[in-house]
Amino acid sequence: MGRLETADKQSLHLVENEIQASIDQVFSHLERLEILSSKEPPNKRQNAKLRVDQLKYDVQHLQTALRNFQHQRYAKEQQERQREELLSRTFTTNDSDTTIPMDESLQFNSSLQKIHHGMDDLIGGGHSILEGLRAQRLTMKGTQKKILDIANMLGLSNTVMRLIEKRAFQDKYFMIGGMLVTCVVMFLVVQYLT
C-alpha cells in the first residue's frame, strides 16, 4: 500500500493490479486454510478457525483500503478533468435576459442527498449483517455444545448396551446350567427315591 501512494500515474494501475492479484491469491490460500482447519483435532479446531477468520478480516480490510484508494483516485481524476474543463471554457457575454442556472445546483444537491441516504442505508445494512453474524455465532456455539453432549451420551449408551449384551449372554449360560443341574437332581431323586 505504501508503493501505491508513492507510485506515479503511469505505474499506478500496475501496482493496483499487483495488489489485487496478491489479495486474490491470499483469499484462495485462506479458503484452503479453512478446509485444513476443519481437519484439525477438535481441541485445536476452534482456535485454528478463529485464526483463519482473523486473517480473512485483515485481508478484507486491505481490500477495502485498496477500494477506498481507487475511489479517491477516481474522484481526484474527475476533479482534475472538471477543473481543466472549467479553465478551458470560453465565456461569452450574457444575452439580453440574464439567467441563473439553478437546475444543475438543484440536481447536484438532490444527488448529494441520495448519496447521503444511500450511505446511511449501507451503514445500517452492515450493522444488521454484523448483528446477524454475532447471533449466528452464538447459535453455532449452542449447537456445538448440544452435539458434544449428544456424542458423549451416545458413547455412554454404547457402553451400557455392550454391558447389557454381555450380561444377557452370561445369564443364558447360567439358565442352561441351572436347568441341567435341576434335571440331574430330579433324575437322581426319581432314581434313588422310588
Side-chain angles (χ1 to χ4, degrees), residues 26-169:
V26 169
F27 267 126
S28 67
H29 289 310
L30 283 176
E31 288 174 4
R32 186 159 183 252
L33 269 178
E34 190 169 16
I35 292 169
L36 292 176
S37 70
S38 65
K39 294 180 182 178
E40 285 286 323
N43 57 350
K44 294 181 180 179
R45 188 176 301 151
Q46 187 173 4
N47 192 16
K49 197 162 201 64
L50 186 65
R51 288 181 187 165
V52 171
D53 290 341
Q54 182 64 39
L55 286 173
K56 273 188 179 180
Y57 175 76
D58 292 344
V59 172
Q60 287 173 348
H61 184 68
L62 286 173
Q63 180 78 34
T64 305
L66 178 63
R67 285 187 186 144
N68 286 341
F69 183 82
Q70 287 174 337
H71 180 70
Q72 288 174 354
R73 182 176 55 84
Y74 292 145
K76 194 175 187 180
E77 288 174 358
Q78 174 119 10
Q79 286 176 352
E80 287 175 4
R81 274 196 307 273
Q82 289 175 350
R83 185 179 305 118
E84 288 299 321
E85 223 175 79
L86 186 61
L87 291 175
S88 64
R89 182 186 294 175
T90 56
F91 293 96
T92 58
T93 58
N94 291 338
D95 295 334
S96 59
D97 298 328
T98 305
T99 58
I100 301 174
M102 297 275 301
D103 291 338
E104 290 179 13
S105 297
L106 289 174
Q107 287 177 352
F108 182 71
N109 188 24
S110 65
S111 296
L112 283 178
Q113 290 295 327
K114 287 179 186 176
I115 291 171
H116 179 69
H117 289 301
M119 290 304 291
D120 285 344
D121 292 342
L122 280 174
I123 291 171
H127 181 71
S128 64
I129 289 171
L130 186 62
E131 290 300 320
L133 288 174
R134 286 181 183 151
Q136 285 179 4
R137 184 183 73 190
L138 292 176
T139 305
M140 292 300 282
K141 281 185 179 179
T143 305
Q144 182 185 17
K145 185 178 178 189
K146 287 179 184 177
I147 288 173
L148 290 175
D149 290 344
I150 289 171
N152 289 335
M153 188 185 309
L154 286 176
L156 183 64
S157 297
N158 287 339
T159 307
V160 170
M161 290 300 289
R162 274 190 255 118
L163 288 174
I164 289 171
E165 288 174 1
K166 185 177 177 184
R167 181 67 187 263
F169 187 71

Side-chain angles (χ1 to χ4, degrees), residues 168-182:
F169 187 71
Q170 291 173 350
D171 287 348
K172 183 169 68 169
Y173 281 121
F174 283 131
M175 183 185 73
I176 290 171
M179 287 170 61
L180 287 174
V181 169
T182 303

